[in-house]
Amino acid sequence: MRTTLLTVCLLLASFYSVEAQNKFGYIDSNELLVLMPESQSMQTELQNYANGLESQLAAMQAEGEAKLTEFQQQEATMNDLVKQDKVRELESIQQRILEFQQNAQQALGNKEKELLTPIIEKARKAIEDVAEEGKYTYIFDASMGSLLYADESENILPLVKVKLGL
């Protein structure tokens, strides 16, 4: 019985010893990204890119609508062969529009990733630097919702802001 109690005490003591060596911090990475000036310029560039895609789509839709209107106006005077050809042409335009919409969504996502990656890397580097300088063992991201409790004194956002010159 005495040996078991001694073993439990030693285990608890070693646990608290290991726990004392660990230093935990947290940061809200979304808040950090919003504060970074690169995020604002990224949003502007991304919006301009999206506007370009939207204007291209609008031009394609206007072309399709014009062809449809022309078809509707001349349909009564067309023979069956011409009608079939015009219907195929309208279907082809509609298919191109649908493909463009899908490709535009994918391109917009790729552009966002391309623009966001260097910003995230810069933020991550600053967080890593603060963690090393502050001798943190773990840094949790409060924006991911996995943080159940945090003492405000261990929020490293102010330190990372200083590191980034914000």
Side-chain angles (χ1 to χ4, degrees):
M1 178 75 167
R2 206 175 164 151
T3 311
T4 306
L5 184 59
L6 182 60
T7 304
V8 169
C9 287
L10 286 174
L11 283 173
L12 286 174
S14 67
F15 174 74
Y16 287 118
S17 163
V18 168
E19 186 66 29
Q21 294 170 357
N22 291 329
K23 186 174 179 184
F24 300 91
Y26 72 95
I27 188 168
D28 184 331
S29 63
N30 288 337
E31 183 179 350
L32 176 63
L33 290 176
V34 167
L35 292 171
M36 295 175 70
E38 295 92 337
S39 292
Q40 282 83 29
S41 61
M42 180 210 73
Q43 289 297 331
T44 302
E45 187 173 342
L46 193 61
Q47 187 61 48
N48 291 339
Y49 186 75
N51 290 343
L53 292 173
E54 286 175 11
S55 66
Q56 178 65 32
L57 178 61
M60 291 174 78
Q61 289 172 331
E63 175 192 357
E65 289 172 13
K67 297 263 185 192
L68 178 61
T69 301
E70 177 186 340
F71 173 75
Q72 289 171 338
Q73 290 172 348
Q74 298 175 359
E75 181 180 14
T77 62
M78 294 180 186
N79 64 40
D80 288 342
L81 186 60
V82 173
K83 238 186 243 188
Q84 289 174 355
D85 185 52
K86 293 292 183 183
V87 166
R88 278 194 299 268
E89 181 182 3
L90 289 170
E91 289 171 348
S92 173
I93 291 171
Q94 184 62 32
Q95 184 62 34
R96 280 187 17 236
I97 290 171
L98 290 173
E99 287 175 10
F100 182 83
Q101 286 175 321
Q102 292 170 350
N103 292 337
Q105 287 175 345
Q106 184 177 3
L108 190 59
N110 291 342
K111 185 69 168 178
E112 182 177 27
K113 183 179 178 184
E114 171 193 325
L115 295 173
L116 193 56
T117 298
I119 298 169
I120 290 173
E121 288 174 1
K122 182 178 179 181
R124 183 174 293 137
K125 173 77 171 101
I127 291 168
E128 288 171 2
D129 289 348
V130 167
E132 288 174 10
E133 291 166 7
K135 302 203 184 308
Y136 288 92
T137 307
Y138 300 101
I139 303 293
F140 296 96
D141 190 349
S143 68
M144 298 296 180
S146 61
L147 190 62
L148 300 177
Y149 170 79
D151 182 352
E152 186 61 31
S153 66
E154 297 303 326
N155 184 356
I156 66 165
L157 180 63
L159 300 172
V160 174
K161 285 171 48 180
V162 168
K163 179 65 75 178
L164 290 171
L166 302 176

